[in-house]
Amino acid sequence: MTVVLKPPNEQLRIDEVWLFISVDENGEGLCAGPLMGPGTLVPLVAADKVRRDALIPLAQQIAALSGKPVKVVKMSARSEEMTITPDGRPPQ
């Protein structure tokens, strides 16, 4: 299912994101949770501090249930790799 964003975006530019990462003996992985209801799994990624803070209780539940630590990692080096246009053509 595709969801069209209505209302429009609120932030002018996303320059940092927070990732919730689980850690075990084999390495790291991006945590996911049922943010859109039962049967769904959505990666725990936040583009602002309010949403980051709202995801912390879910990350705490994941850590408690899994018995593994969850790290909150801030990524702030922005590198745009491509733009995908609605019509599929390369951007001008």
Side-chain angles (χ1 to χ4, degrees), residues 30-90:
L30 186 59
C31 293
L35 299 176
M36 298 181 72
T40 67
L41 285 177
V42 177
L44 302 188
V45 177
D48 61 58
K49 290 179 181 178
V50 171
R51 286 165 186 80
R52 179 205 59 195
D53 293 348
L55 292 175
I56 288 175
L58 183 54
Q60 290 170 325
Q61 289 178 359
I62 291 169
L65 290 171
S66 69
K68 305 289 183 186
V70 173
K71 294 180 180 180
V72 181
V73 176
K74 179 180 175 182
M75 308 290 257
S76 59
R78 180 174 169 143
S79 174
E80 294 183 21
E81 300 215 353
M82 72 175 68
T83 298
I84 300 171
T85 62
D87 61 9
R89 293 188 207 157

